[in-house]
Coordinates of all heavy atoms in Angstrom, one line a residue:
L3 N -21.4 -9.8 2.4 CA -20.7 -10.0 1.1 C -19.4 -10.7 1.2 O -18.8 -11.0 0.2 CB -20.4 -8.6 0.5 CG -21.6 -7.7 0.2 CD1 -21.2 -6.4 -0.4 CD2 -22.6 -8.4 -0.8
S4 N -19.0 -11.0 2.5 CA -17.7 -11.7 2.7 C -16.6 -11.0 2.1 O -15.7 -11.6 1.5 CB -17.8 -13.2 2.2 OG -16.7 -13.9 2.7
V5 N -16.6 -9.7 2.3 CA -15.6 -8.8 1.7 C -14.9 -7.9 2.8 O -15.6 -7.5 3.8 CB -16.2 -7.8 0.7 CG1 -15.2 -6.7 0.3 CG2 -16.6 -8.6 -0.6
A6 N -13.6 -7.7 2.7 CA -12.9 -6.8 3.7 C -12.0 -5.9 2.9 O -11.5 -6.3 1.8 CB -12.2 -7.6 4.7
V7 N -11.7 -4.8 3.4 CA -10.7 -3.9 3.0 C -9.9 -3.5 4.2 O -10.4 -3.1 5.2 CB -11.3 -2.6 2.3 CG1 -10.2 -1.7 1.7 CG2 -12.4 -2.9 1.3
L8 N -8.5 -3.6 4.0 CA -7.7 -3.3 5.2 C -6.4 -2.6 4.8 O -6.0 -2.6 3.6 CB -7.3 -4.6 5.9 CG -6.5 -5.7 5.2 CD1 -5.0 -5.5 5.5 CD2 -6.9 -7.1 5.5
D9 N -5.9 -1.9 5.8 CA -4.6 -1.2 5.7 C -3.5 -2.3 5.9 O -3.3 -2.8 7.0 CB -4.5 -0.1 6.7 CG -3.2 0.7 6.6 OD1 -2.3 0.2 5.9 OD2 -3.1 1.7 7.3
G10 N -2.7 -2.5 4.8 CA -1.7 -3.6 4.9 C -0.3 -3.0 5.1 O 0.7 -3.7 4.9
T11 N -0.2 -1.8 5.6 CA 1.1 -1.2 5.8 C 1.5 -1.3 7.3 O 0.7 -1.7 8.1 CB 1.1 0.3 5.4 OG1 0.1 1.0 6.2 CG2 0.8 0.5 4.0
A12 N 2.8 -0.9 7.6 CA 3.3 -1.0 9.0 C 2.4 -0.2 9.9 O 1.9 0.8 9.5 CB 4.7 -0.5 9.0
P13 N 2.2 -0.7 11.2 CA 2.9 -1.8 11.8 C 2.2 -3.2 11.6 O 2.7 -4.2 12.0 CB 2.8 -1.5 13.3 CG 1.5 -0.7 13.4 CD 1.4 0.1 12.2
H14 N 1.0 -3.2 10.9 CA 0.3 -4.4 10.7 C 0.5 -4.8 9.2 O -0.5 -4.9 8.5 CB -1.2 -4.3 11.1 CG -1.7 -2.9 10.8 ND1 -1.9 -2.4 9.6 CD2 -2.1 -2.0 11.7 CE1 -2.4 -1.2 9.7 NE2 -2.5 -0.9 11.0
I15 N 1.7 -5.1 8.9 CA 2.0 -5.4 7.5 C 1.3 -6.7 7.1 O 1.4 -7.7 7.8 CB 3.5 -5.6 7.2 CG1 4.2 -4.2 7.5 CG2 3.8 -6.1 5.9 CD1 5.7 -4.3 7.5
T16 N 0.5 -6.7 6.0 CA -0.2 -7.8 5.6 C 0.1 -8.1 4.1 O 0.0 -7.2 3.2 CB -1.8 -7.5 5.7 OG1 -2.1 -7.2 7.0 CG2 -2.6 -8.8 5.3
D17 N 0.5 -9.3 3.8 CA 0.7 -9.8 2.5 C -0.3 -10.9 2.1 O -0.8 -11.6 3.0 CB 2.2 -10.3 2.4 CG 3.2 -9.2 2.5 OD1 3.0 -8.2 1.9 OD2 4.2 -9.4 3.3
P18 N -0.6 -11.0 0.8 CA -1.5 -12.0 0.4 C -1.1 -13.4 0.7 O 0.0 -13.8 0.6 CB -1.6 -11.8 -1.1 CG -1.1 -10.4 -1.4 CD 0.0 -10.2 -0.3
V19 N -2.1 -14.2 1.1 CA -1.9 -15.7 1.3 C -2.3 -16.4 0.0 O -1.6 -17.3 -0.4 CB -2.8 -16.2 2.5 CG1 -2.6 -17.7 2.7 CG2 -2.4 -15.5 3.8
Y20 N -3.4 -15.9 -0.6 CA -3.9 -16.5 -1.8 C -4.0 -15.3 -2.8 O -5.1 -14.9 -3.2 CB -5.2 -17.2 -1.7 CG -5.2 -18.2 -0.6 CD1 -5.9 -18.0 0.6 CD2 -4.5 -19.4 -0.7 CE1 -5.9 -19.0 1.7 CE2 -4.5 -20.4 0.3 CZ -5.2 -20.1 1.5 OH -5.2 -21.1 2.5
P21 N -2.9 -14.8 -3.3 CA -3.0 -13.6 -4.2 C -3.8 -13.8 -5.4 O -3.7 -14.8 -6.1 CB -1.5 -13.3 -4.5 CG -0.8 -14.6 -4.2 CD -1.5 -15.3 -3.1
G22 N -4.6 -12.8 -5.7 CA -5.5 -12.9 -6.9 C -6.7 -13.8 -6.7 O -7.6 -13.7 -7.6
V23 N -6.7 -14.6 -5.7 CA -7.8 -15.5 -5.5 C -8.7 -15.0 -4.4 O -9.9 -14.7 -4.6 CB -7.3 -17.0 -5.1 CG1 -8.5 -17.9 -4.8 CG2 -6.5 -17.5 -6.2
T24 N -8.1 -14.8 -3.2 CA -8.8 -14.1 -2.1 C -8.3 -12.7 -1.9 O -9.1 -11.8 -1.9 CB -8.6 -14.9 -0.8 OG1 -9.1 -16.3 -1.0 CG2 -9.3 -14.3 0.4
E25 N -7.0 -12.5 -1.8 CA -6.5 -11.2 -1.5 C -6.1 -10.5 -2.8 O -5.6 -11.1 -3.8 CB -5.2 -11.2 -0.6 CG -5.5 -11.8 0.7 CD -5.2 -13.3 0.8 OE1 -5.1 -13.9 -0.2 OE2 -5.1 -13.8 2.0
H26 N -6.4 -9.2 -2.8 CA -6.0 -8.3 -4.0 C -5.3 -7.1 -3.4 O -5.9 -6.3 -2.6 CB -7.3 -7.9 -4.7 CG -8.1 -9.1 -5.2 ND1 -8.0 -9.6 -6.5 CD2 -9.0 -9.8 -4.6 CE1 -8.8 -10.7 -6.6 NE2 -9.4 -10.8 -5.4
T27 N -4.1 -6.9 -3.8 CA -3.3 -5.7 -3.4 C -3.6 -4.5 -4.2 O -3.7 -4.5 -5.4 CB -1.8 -6.0 -3.5 OG1 -1.5 -7.2 -2.7 CG2 -1.0 -4.9 -2.9
V28 N -3.9 -3.4 -3.5 CA -4.3 -2.1 -4.1 C -3.2 -1.1 -3.7 O -3.0 -0.8 -2.6 CB -5.6 -1.6 -3.6 CG1 -6.0 -0.3 -4.3 CG2 -6.7 -2.7 -3.9
N29 N -2.4 -0.7 -4.7 CA -1.3 0.2 -4.5 C -1.6 1.6 -4.7 O -1.7 2.1 -5.8 CB -0.1 -0.2 -5.4 CG 1.2 0.5 -5.1 OD1 1.2 1.2 -4.1 ND2 2.2 0.4 -5.9
L30 N -1.8 2.3 -3.5 CA -2.2 3.7 -3.6 C -1.0 4.6 -3.9 O -1.1 5.8 -4.2 CB -2.9 4.2 -2.3 CG -4.2 3.4 -1.9 CD1 -4.8 4.1 -0.7 CD2 -5.1 3.4 -3.1
E31 N 0.2 4.1 -3.8 CA 1.4 4.8 -4.1 C 1.5 5.2 -5.5 O 2.3 6.2 -5.9 CB 2.7 4.0 -3.7 CG 2.9 3.9 -2.2 CD 4.1 3.1 -1.8 OE1 4.9 2.7 -2.7 OE2 4.3 2.9 -0.6
E32 N 0.7 4.6 -6.4 CA 0.7 5.0 -7.8 C 0.2 6.4 -7.9 O 0.4 7.0 -9.0 CB -0.2 4.0 -8.6 CG 0.3 2.6 -8.6 CD -0.6 1.6 -9.3 OE1 -1.7 2.1 -9.7 OE2 -0.3 0.4 -9.5
A33 N -0.6 6.9 -6.9 CA -1.1 8.2 -7.0 C -0.2 9.3 -6.4 O -0.5 10.5 -6.4 CB -2.4 8.3 -6.3
L34 N 1.0 8.9 -6.0 CA 2.0 9.8 -5.4 C 2.8 10.5 -6.4 O 3.3 9.9 -7.4 CB 2.9 9.1 -4.4 CG 2.3 8.7 -3.0 CD1 3.3 7.8 -2.3 CD2 2.0 10.0 -2.2
D35 N 3.1 11.8 -6.2 CA 4.1 12.5 -6.9 C 5.4 12.4 -6.2 O 5.8 13.1 -5.3 CB 3.7 14.0 -7.0 CG 4.6 14.9 -7.8 OD1 5.7 14.4 -8.1 OD2 4.2 16.0 -8.2
C36 N 6.2 11.3 -6.7 CA 7.4 11.0 -6.0 C 8.5 12.1 -6.1 O 9.3 12.3 -5.2 CB 7.9 9.7 -6.5 SG 6.9 8.3 -6.1
E37 N 8.4 12.8 -7.2 CA 9.4 13.9 -7.4 C 9.2 15.0 -6.4 O 10.1 15.5 -5.8 CB 9.2 14.5 -8.8 CG 10.3 15.5 -9.1 CD 10.2 16.1 -10.5 OE1 9.6 15.4 -11.4 OE2 10.8 17.1 -10.8
A38 N 7.9 15.3 -6.1 CA 7.6 16.3 -5.1 C 8.0 15.8 -3.7 O 8.5 16.6 -2.8 CB 6.1 16.7 -5.1
L39 N 7.8 14.5 -3.4 CA 8.1 13.9 -2.1 C 9.6 14.0 -1.9 O 10.1 14.2 -0.8 CB 7.6 12.5 -2.1 CG 6.2 12.3 -1.6 CD1 5.8 10.8 -1.7 CD2 5.9 12.8 -0.2
T40 N 10.4 13.7 -3.0 CA 11.8 13.7 -2.9 C 12.4 15.0 -2.4 O 13.4 15.1 -1.6 CB 12.5 13.3 -4.2 OG1 12.0 12.0 -4.6 CG2 14.0 13.3 -4.1
K41 N 11.7 16.1 -2.7 CA 12.2 17.4 -2.3 C 12.0 17.6 -0.7 O 12.6 18.4 -0.1 CB 11.4 18.5 -3.0 CG 11.6 18.5 -4.5 CD 10.8 19.6 -5.2 CE 11.0 19.6 -6.7 NZ 10.1 20.5 -7.4
K42 N 11.1 16.7 -0.2 CA 10.9 16.8 1.3 C 11.6 15.6 2.0 O 11.2 15.3 3.1 CB 9.4 16.7 1.5 CG 8.6 17.9 1.0 CD 8.7 19.1 1.8 CE 7.7 20.2 1.4 NZ 7.8 21.4 2.3
R43 N 12.5 15.0 1.3 CA 13.1 13.8 1.8 C 13.6 13.9 3.2 O 13.3 13.0 4.1 CB 14.2 13.3 0.9 CG 14.9 12.0 1.2 CD 16.0 11.7 0.2 NE 16.6 10.4 0.5 CZ 17.6 10.1 1.4 NH1 18.1 11.2 2.0 NH2 18.0 8.9 1.6
E44 N 14.4 14.9 3.5 CA 15.1 15.0 4.8 C 14.0 15.2 5.9 O 14.1 14.6 7.0 CB 16.1 16.1 4.8 CG 17.3 15.9 3.9 CD 18.0 14.5 4.2 OE1 18.1 14.2 5.4 OE2 18.4 13.8 3.2
E45 N 13.0 16.0 5.6 CA 12.0 16.3 6.6 C 11.2 15.0 6.9 O 10.9 14.7 8.1 CB 11.1 17.4 6.1 CG 10.0 17.8 7.1 CD 9.1 19.0 6.6 OE1 9.3 19.4 5.5 OE2 8.2 19.4 7.4

């Protein structure tokens, strides 16, 4: 299918070369409850 899915976070940070044409960024942080995370900030 000439398709790949990859983890673009550290340490192998990957940014699009041809955004929207070949690469498509999928932001899973949209599913995070940032308020709950903030309570665990120091830990």
